[in-house]
Amino acid sequence: MTIVRHEPSSNLCNAVVHNGVVYLAGITAANTSADVKGQTVQVLDEIDRLLALCGTHKSKILTASIWLPKISTRPQMNEAWNLWSDKANLPARACVESKLADPAWLVEIAVTAAV
């Protein structure tokens, strides 16, 4: 069985493909001066890029895990999510409040998708 690892760093790969499934690492915003909606847009753009790199698309997302340091920002995150998501192919999704590794990050999203 082949495992393909994309964009490795010292402690993780941004994407791993195995057996027709793409696993993305938790994605955070590069520009942390944006609000939660703006950071979510950045994260979703990066998810689009990584899925394309792996030969798939947001319509093939199976699951999404979303972490917010303040669950009260869920409506703003959902504004960006709802504009971006494929309404005909919504994934199973969890959204929880959690402290993130960098206090400047306002959202982190990890997805799995079919190829």
Side-chain angles (χ1 to χ4, degrees):
M1 294 192 164
T2 302
I3 299 172
V4 179
R5 301 175 196 281
H6 295 277
E7 301 183 355
S9 69
S10 62
N11 59 350
L12 60 87
C13 288
N14 281 332
V16 177
V17 183
H18 172 65
N19 204 26
V21 179
V22 176
Y23 303 87
L24 296 190
I27 306 300
T28 56
N31 176 4
T32 57
S33 66
D35 64 7
V36 70
K37 183 177 178 183
Q39 286 195 25
T40 302
V41 168
Q42 291 177 58
V43 169
L44 297 173
D45 287 346
E46 180 66 359
I47 288 171
D48 281 338
R49 185 189 73 78
L50 288 167
L51 290 175
L53 177 69
C54 297
T56 192
H57 183 266
K58 66 184 167 189
S59 67
K60 303 282 183 115
I61 295 176
L62 305 169
T63 65
S65 298
I66 303 170
W67 298 274
L68 299 168
K70 294 181 184 174
I71 201 68
S72 63
T73 63
R74 187 172 184 249
Q76 294 82 13
M77 179 278 299
N78 273 332
E79 286 180 38
W81 175 272
N82 291 337
L83 288 171
W84 171 83
S85 62
D86 182 334
K87 301 298 180 268
N89 297 290
L90 293 170
R93 189 185 101 164
C95 180
V96 299
E97 182 175 80
S98 178
K99 186 176 180 179
L100 301 182
D102 183 331
W105 292 336
L106 303 179
V107 62
E108 182 170 352
I109 303 175
V111 303
T112 59
V115 174

